[in-house]
Amino acid sequence: MIHTSRYTGRRALFIGVLLLGAALLLGILALGLGAVKTPTGDVVQVLLGRGDELTRQLVLELRAPRIVVALLTGAMFAASGAMMQGVIRNPLASPDIIGVGAGAGLAATLFLLAWPGAPPGGLPWAALAGAWAGFALVLLLSREWGGHTGNALHPVRLALVGVAVAAALGAAQQLVLVRAPDGLGAALSFLTGTVYGADAVRAARVLPWALVLLPAALLCARTLDVLNLGEDLATSLGTRVGAARLFCLAVAVALAGAAVTGAGILGFVGLLAPHLARLLVGARHARLLPVAMLLGAVLVLAADTLGRALLPPTEVPAGIFTTLVGAPYFLYLLRRTR
């Protein structure tokens, strides 16, 4: 048992190093892409503190914030999905599937419509409130109140209700965007699921939340493992189950809400990355969470880089590629879950 645990730990470390390397290589590649392509050698020179002023401005001021936003939001969506799956004990749980992302997007839209001159720091708080509202609505509609099942929360029912609520909230958001003034509509274009146009302001808006919430998610690893043992056993081990669930869900919902303000709703990142991580390193959250974060970051950065390179000068939103990959897997899970 000890030998197996050490082997799995070394495997998780090896996979983590590989993912970090992949993120670094993708980042360097992405820094060279754009309307004016920059050779990889020039990008490396800029990162080493050299290079001419124009190339430095192009790479560091215009492209680097986009890379930062893609990496942070990918990691945050993945961590949020892994925590939701752990707390709700539902393999179909994901921020975009159970209404969290759509609620955050609608709230952010309404917030900027009502307060166009709001400081950048206010947007994540509005998104957080909307994320909680969307999540609470899905939970309320998913429960089978009363009867012989008690207050049951069936995985497939939760997923189907979540998809319906997310679609309704997304439609409401699009209606608001259509009616919004031209300038505001352009300012909210990132909510469609893209990191296009990400600048230093948007990166600075997401970064503080990531610095607080991603470590908080890692600190929840042992609690999530205990919660997965079931309520009775968790209680017998001294865990205050209600408080533990509430804290973990608060972190998960906040992660998704803050990520939406950086890249909009990136479909299925929060579903796909935790499942891939579980296949690679097992179900223990001390290994699952960091690997899922790295997978989510690489997935979003790869989707954005592909979207920029596929049909230049047109840019395909990253959310389209994550949805194309994640939607078939979601249908597979839906079919497999009884």
Side-chain angles (χ1 to χ4, degrees), residues 315-338:
E315 296 199 8
V316 182
I320 291 179
F321 292 107
T322 60
T323 301
L324 286 174
V325 174
Y329 188 69
F330 170 68
L331 294 174
Y332 163 73
L333 288 176
L334 195 65
R335 180 177 178 84
R336 194 182 69 174
T337 305
R338 301 296 181 185

Side-chain angles (χ1 to χ4, degrees), residues 115-145:
W115 193 5
L123 187 61
W125 290 103
L128 179 60
W132 267 111
F135 182 54
L137 180 60
V138 170
L139 288 183
L140 181 66
L141 296 176
S142 299
R143 286 193 178 275
E144 299 176 8
W145 300 99

Side-chain angles (χ1 to χ4, degrees), residues 299-327:
L299 177 62
V300 173
L301 181 56
D304 181 55
T305 304
L306 182 60
R308 295 164 67 185
L310 190 62
L311 298 170
T314 304
E315 296 199 8
V316 182
I320 291 179
F321 292 107
T322 60
T323 301
L324 286 174
V325 174

Side-chain angles (χ1 to χ4, degrees), residues 201-270:
V201 173
R202 202 192 302 183
R205 187 167 65 210
V206 177
L207 183 60
W209 291 82
L211 291 177
V212 172
L213 294 173
L214 290 176
L218 295 175
L219 291 175
C220 291
R222 184 180 178 279
T223 301
L224 291 167
D225 287 337
V226 173
L227 290 176
N228 278 338
L229 298 175
E231 185 170 347
D232 293 338
L233 187 53
T235 303
S236 69
L237 292 173
T239 301
R240 296 174 59 186
V241 174
R245 281 178 176 164
L246 182 60
F247 178 76
C248 290
L249 279 177
V251 173
V253 171
L255 278 164
V260 165
T261 67
I265 304 167
L266 294 170
F268 299 102
V269 175

